[in-house]
Amino acid sequence: MNLNKLKSIALASLLMGIVGCSAAPTHLIVSPKVYLSPSNQLSHKQAQLTIIDMRTSTHIIQILEQDEAAIILSSKQRLEDIIEAVLAKQWQQQGLAFNDSAKNKMTVTIEKAVISVEQETVSYNTQSEIIIKVSIDNGKQTLTSRFKTRGHSEGALNADIAVLEREFNQHLSSLLKQILSSNDIKTFL
């Protein structure tokens, strides 16, 4: 094999590697971080836990650019599974037991969870919103609480997916902490 052919193959391999590395991600990693001190505030309390995703579309990020197809990114794992794992773990650390025959029926509904990006030629503008409703029915009364977080950012050039992913995780973490710290929920249980 001659040297020119070998150089061509090496250059082609390098270019394919660079293009492959710069490809946009197809999924997000949603990993909220919630740390609360273990307590026994909910000792001897039981509940059934159901998580429902009421969103019409399961994507988390939508990038809209004029005359271009929208870029849609979803979580690798179902959002309701992620939220259920975090809430169940944290409530159990506070002493709450989950039991399918418990009189307290807790329903956590994801109503909205999206970051919408308007991409312009040399700038972008983002709007993020997460809305989660928590309903607890004890057979006699129902408590319904709605938790919301909103955000807005703008910047030059193109929106960075990694930054949007981090912002979503921060907003979701904050919202889940609000739910877990809610005195209304603790008192009602």
Side-chain angles (χ1 to χ4, degrees):
M1 192 182 282
N2 68 25
L3 189 58
N4 285 338
K5 202 172 208 178
L6 189 58
K7 285 181 183 178
S8 296
I9 292 172
L11 182 61
S13 296
L14 178 65
L15 289 174
M16 286 184 355
I18 290 171
V19 170
C21 290
S22 67
T26 57
H27 289 90
L28 300 174
I29 297 171
V30 176
S31 180
K33 305 291 182 223
V34 178
Y35 302 105
L36 297 175
S37 299
S39 72
N40 58 1
Q41 288 181 313
L42 299 174
S43 290
H44 309 295
K45 308 273 183 165
Q46 293 187 358
Q48 297 178 36
L49 179 61
T50 305
I51 311 290
I52 301 171
D53 190 349
M54 294 297 293
R55 299 175 300 152
T56 55
S57 179
T58 60
H59 68 271
I60 291 174
I61 294 178
Q62 58 187 18
I63 301 175
L64 310 169
E65 189 171 358
Q66 191 171 358
D67 300 327
E68 296 287 332
I71 297 171
I72 305 292
L73 297 171
S74 299
S75 173
K76 259 187 156 163
Q77 189 180 358
R78 292 169 35 133
L79 189 57
E80 59 265 40
D81 294 342
I82 295 167
I83 290 173
E84 181 174 16
V86 170
L87 291 177
K89 177 183 176 190
Q90 292 296 323
W91 272 322
Q92 286 172 334
Q93 288 181 351
Q94 293 180 22
L96 183 63
F98 291 102
N99 183 332
D100 289 341
S101 61
K103 69 175 183 170
N104 288 321
K105 294 182 172 110
M106 188 181 302
T107 305
V108 177
T109 307
I110 305 164
E111 295 183 346
K112 194 168 190 179
V114 68
I115 295 179
S116 184
V117 180
E118 288 185 36
Q119 183 68 57
E120 300 293 330
T121 307
V122 293
S123 66
Y124 67 90
N125 182 351
T126 70
Q127 299 287 334
S128 64
E129 186 172 29
I130 304 173
I131 302 172
I132 296 177
K133 180 176 75 173
V134 179
S135 295
I136 305 170
D137 182 351
N138 66 9
K140 297 175 186 170
Q141 297 176 308
T142 301
L143 170 74
T144 301
S145 298
R146 188 169 268 113
F147 299 86
K148 299 177 188 178
T149 182
R150 290 189 173 109
H152 168 81
S153 65
E154 49 191 53
L157 303 176
N158 292 326
D160 184 341
I161 301 299
V163 171
L164 297 175
E165 180 181 80
R166 185 178 67 237
E167 285 178 13
F168 183 83
N169 280 312
Q170 289 171 343
H171 290 203
L172 182 58
S173 298
S174 171
L175 198 64
L176 294 176
K177 192 170 183 177
Q178 287 177 39
I179 293 169
L180 291 161
S181 301
S182 169
N183 286 328
D184 290 344
I185 291 174
K186 289 176 186 176
T187 303
F188 194 81
L189 286 170

